[in-house]
Amino acid sequence: MKPILPGSAIGVLGSGQLGRMFAIAARRMGYRVHTLSPDEDTPTGQVADLEINASYEDLDAIAKFASAVSVVTFEFENVPAATAAAAERCAPVRPAGHILHTTQHRLREKTFLQNAGLPITPFRRVASLADLAQAASEIGLPAILKTADFGYDGKGQHRIATSADFTAAWHTVSQSESVLEAFVDFDCEISVVAARSADGAFIHYGAIENQHRNGILHTSLAPARVPHSVTHTAVEIARAVLETLGVVGVLCVEFFVTKDGRLLINELAPRPHNSGHFTFDASVTSQFEQQLRAVCGLPLGSPAQLTPAAMINLLGDQWSKGEPNWASATAISNVKLHLYGKLAPRPGRKMGHLTALSSNVEQALSDAELAFRRL
């Protein structure tokens, strides 16, 4: 693959915070960034060279957008597959559109993982209330019903404890194609953010420990407080995922760690991931620069972590009593503040994050939590 060199234009489908941090990394290395989404004055658009406001279903606009750049990537997986296909006719798309198609739909994703022999929670397809009852009888209760597509941050999910919950759960997923997953009584959740180049080179950021609130990531700790054997196995599973899919770019594998130390894949994200935000401050090469290097055919950078880190998400809820106290939070000198430039805070909306750097992960967590309380 001929390298795409600095000075070239990179196209980003999507315009949220992941695209923003990607654009910062790309512009620092001398690339131009074009972004396309249905929105205006977006987190990515505020940093990009060119912001195009168009629907993902406007395939003529997609073709024109892709024709003006050297490569197209994306910052979230809910870009329609037809959009990626239209872009691919005009420019390379990395990761490829077929990867987007697989990972944006839970049933396709889980079927791929199952066929690849990778460890996942038991699941069944659900397309009706009758299917739901049958699936529950096969995998048991409690279980989690999830929409097959367009679910993130805990949206489109319903926990089912007994058969009395079937109707409410089916309405939660809008009576659409869904996946019933066996409930996992896990010890913790971890993720592995990794990158792969076109020549098969592979790098990873180790295991990251994740804590959620109301289905939304709240805290990430790196390195994760799990045995080395768990980290090693998680990395090898992630490697298998990226190689089997043929990823060129960054992909995150989210895992449950069971109480007996087994790993089960929860979800895949074919892009930089919220749990990898710490790499922006704590690693030699951030996940965003790594994505840029991979899609442009440059050698991958060192993923070495310079210092332990803890990240805490800042949701719109933090603004409920007015502007947060940024001065107090940033008075902790080893805490870094990242705000995404979103115009309106809303409950549950990711507005920014804090990252604390320290000599050990426990101290980093303590400092991040102190800064968070000070807000």
Side-chain angles (χ1 to χ4, degrees):
M1 181 169 97
K2 185 178 179 180
I4 296 168
L5 300 177
S8 303
I10 312 300
V12 180
L13 292 173
S15 59
Q17 63 267 18
L18 297 174
R20 180 188 185 91
M21 287 179 273
F22 173 83
I24 290 170
R27 296 198 66 175
R28 188 172 64 183
M29 288 184 64
Y31 289 87
R32 296 183 178 276
V33 178
H34 298 185
T35 182
L36 181 146
S37 80
D39 303 314
E40 297 179 345
D41 195 11
T42 62
T44 307
Q46 293 164 9
V47 177
D49 296 270
L50 178 64
E51 179 180 43
I52 296 174
N53 175 232
S55 166
Y56 296 125
E57 286 75 24
D58 184 347
L59 300 187
D60 289 338
I62 298 299
K64 182 178 179 182
F65 171 76
S67 297
V69 298
S70 296
V71 65
V72 174
T73 190
F74 41 84
E75 62 105 44
F76 81 129
E77 57 267 42
N78 286 338
V79 173
T83 303
E88 280 180 317
R89 290 192 282 271
C90 303
V93 175
R94 299 175 183 143
H98 78 270
I99 297 171
L100 181 76
H101 181 69
T102 297
T103 57
Q104 70 185 188
H105 188 275
R106 285 192 174 100
L107 187 61
R108 287 195 293 267
E109 178 177 283
K110 290 184 179 297
T111 301
F112 156 74
L113 293 169
Q114 184 179 65
N115 291 342
L118 295 166
I120 57 172
T121 56
F123 73 96
R124 295 290 188 277
R125 176 180 180 268
V126 172
S128 67
L129 260 176
D131 285 350
L132 178 55
Q134 179 63 32
S137 71
E138 292 174 4
I139 67 174
L141 296 177
I144 309 293
L145 185 66
K146 300 180 179 180
T147 54
D149 52 13
F150 299 110
Y152 63 96
D153 287 346
K155 296 178 174 65
Q157 301 185 19
H158 192 99
R159 179 174 176 174
I160 299 175
T162 71
S163 58
D165 299 326
F166 287 168
T167 300
W170 186 233
H171 284 283
T172 295
V173 298
S174 302
Q175 305 179 63
S176 59
E177 183 181 40
S178 302
V179 176
L180 187 71
E181 297 179 12
F183 178 75
V184 179
D185 186 19
F186 57 85
D187 186 55
C188 67
E189 295 178 81
I190 64 171
S191 57
V192 173
V193 176
R196 183 177 179 273
S197 62
D199 62 5
F202 172 86
I203 64 91
H204 63 87
Y205 292 95
I208 306 158
E209 181 180 345
N210 300 315
Q211 301 166 2
H212 294 77
R213 292 184 181 178
N214 301 317
I216 302 174
L217 182 65
H218 178 64
T219 305
S220 290
L221 307 178
R225 297 171 296 183
V226 296
H228 174 74
S229 59
V230 171
T231 295
H232 176 76
T233 301
V235 167
E236 290 310 304
I237 292 171
R239 184 195 301 271
V241 170
L242 271 75
E243 290 180 350
T244 305
L245 278 172
V247 171
V248 177
V250 169
L251 183 141
C252 177
V253 184
E254 299 178 49
F255 296 92
F256 297 122
V257 182
T258 66
K259 293 189 181 300
D260 58 358
R262 292 179 299 117
L263 285 163
L264 298 172
I265 297 175
N266 179 25
E267 290 185 345
L268 307 180
R271 48 164 172 78
H273 191 259
N274 195 170
S275 66
H277 285 356
F278 77 93
T279 64
F280 210 88
D281 300 305
S283 301
V284 173
T285 309
S286 75
Q287 62 170 345
F288 305 101
E289 182 181 328
Q290 214 71 266
Q291 181 188 20
L292 175 73
R293 286 169 172 261
V295 304
C296 289
L298 298 179
L300 299 179
S302 167
Q305 190 171 340
L306 302 172
T307 177
M311 183 222 64
I312 295 181
N313 271 329
L314 303 178
L315 304 183
D317 311 64
Q318 293 296 129
W319 279 254
S320 62
K321 297 180 181 178
E323 191 72 14
N325 191 340
W326 305 121
S328 181
T330 56
I332 304 171
S333 61
N334 59 319
V335 170
K336 310 285 282 185
L337 171 65
H338 295 261
L339 293 175
Y340 304 147
K342 295 185 178 181
L343 303 182
R346 296 193 300 268
R349 190 183 198 192
K350 293 174 182 175
M351 301 294 294
H353 68 270
L354 299 168
T355 301
L357 311 174
S358 191
S359 59
N360 63 80
V361 74
E362 298 289 354
Q363 186 60 53
L365 175 59
S366 177
D367 292 340
E369 288 177 335
L370 175 60
F372 184 74
R373 290 194 300 271
R374 287 187 173 188
L375 291 176

